[in-house]
Amino acid sequence: MKTITILPKEDILNHWLGHRNLTRRVIEAFPEKELFTFSLGGMRPFAELVKELLAIAAPGLRGIVANSTEGYNHDLPLQTKAELLAQWDKDTPIIIELYNQIPDERFHENFNLFGEYAFPIIENIQYFVDNEIHHRGQGYVYLRALGIEPPHFWERQQ
């Protein structure tokens, strides 16, 4: 049977980067204090969700490229919105560089991400994007509860 590529590797990366652009704008929309303190229904403040995203994206790709299953740490020492945004901006070119180091043929190879999530690499990458969308949705709810209009979800470009 012939295999047909429906979505090229570079399109997957561009899709993810569009979501990163949008998530960055959601971070920017938060007032400093509420970014670190506001929550609803027992959910974590958005800053904690962002730290989780930072703890898995570039480190996860680094693990895939290096074949390392080292665990992750969500407890990042980022205490201000400026620090979160600076780390976000620092990680984006790292994500691009690492992603581009993964050969196409590895995308269907099983990999035990962080020693906990044994799935094909493409599914691990989809998890990075899905998790970001999920947590960004929580950020949208927080912003609306704070009376702040969030960015349009379909505007993913800068």
Side-chain angles (χ1 to χ4, degrees):
M1 177 170 20
K2 186 174 180 175
T3 302
I4 299 171
T5 301
I6 296 174
L7 197 58
K9 179 181 168 183
E10 55 274 0
D11 288 353
I12 296 168
L13 177 60
N14 288 333
H15 178 77
W16 185 7
L17 295 175
H19 282 290
R20 285 187 63 81
N21 289 336
L22 180 53
T23 301
R24 188 187 195 290
R25 293 202 333 270
V26 172
I27 299 165
E28 287 177 324
F30 270 85
E32 182 86 21
K33 179 181 177 232
E34 286 77 4
L35 178 61
F36 289 87
T37 60
F38 187 79
S39 71
L40 293 170
M43 294 188 296
R44 295 174 284 166
F46 194 59
E48 293 303 313
L49 304 176
V50 172
K51 288 179 187 182
E52 176 185 319
L53 298 174
L54 290 167
I56 66 169
L61 285 176
R62 193 173 288 112
I64 291 168
V65 168
N67 283 312
S68 169
T69 58
E70 184 178 330
Y72 56 89
N73 176 15
H74 292 186
D75 190 25
L76 302 177
L78 305 170
Q79 304 301 320
T80 67
K81 180 172 25 175
E83 289 174 342
L84 287 173
L85 290 169
Q87 188 65 50
W88 195 266
D89 293 344
K90 179 181 172 189
D91 283 1
T92 298
I94 293 169
I95 287 168
I96 294 167
E97 178 184 338
L98 291 168
Y99 180 90
N100 286 322
Q101 290 179 37
I102 303 169
D104 292 358
E105 59 272 9
R106 283 199 67 204
F107 273 66
H108 294 287
E109 173 186 310
N110 275 346
F111 181 76
N112 193 9
L113 184 68
F114 302 120
E116 295 185 38
Y117 309 104
F119 299 104
I121 288 172
I122 185 62
E123 290 182 25
N124 286 314
I125 291 169
Q126 288 169 323
Y127 166 76
F128 299 151
V129 178
D130 291 346
N131 192 47
E132 181 174 332
I133 294 167
H134 163 71
H135 287 320
R136 187 176 64 236
Q138 291 172 277
Y140 273 61
V141 171
Y142 289 176
L143 288 172
R144 290 197 182 280
L146 291 166
I148 300 168
E149 181 72 22
H152 297 294
F153 74 89
W154 60 85
E155 293 178 351
R156 293 186 295 219
Q157 302 309 312
Q158 290 185 338

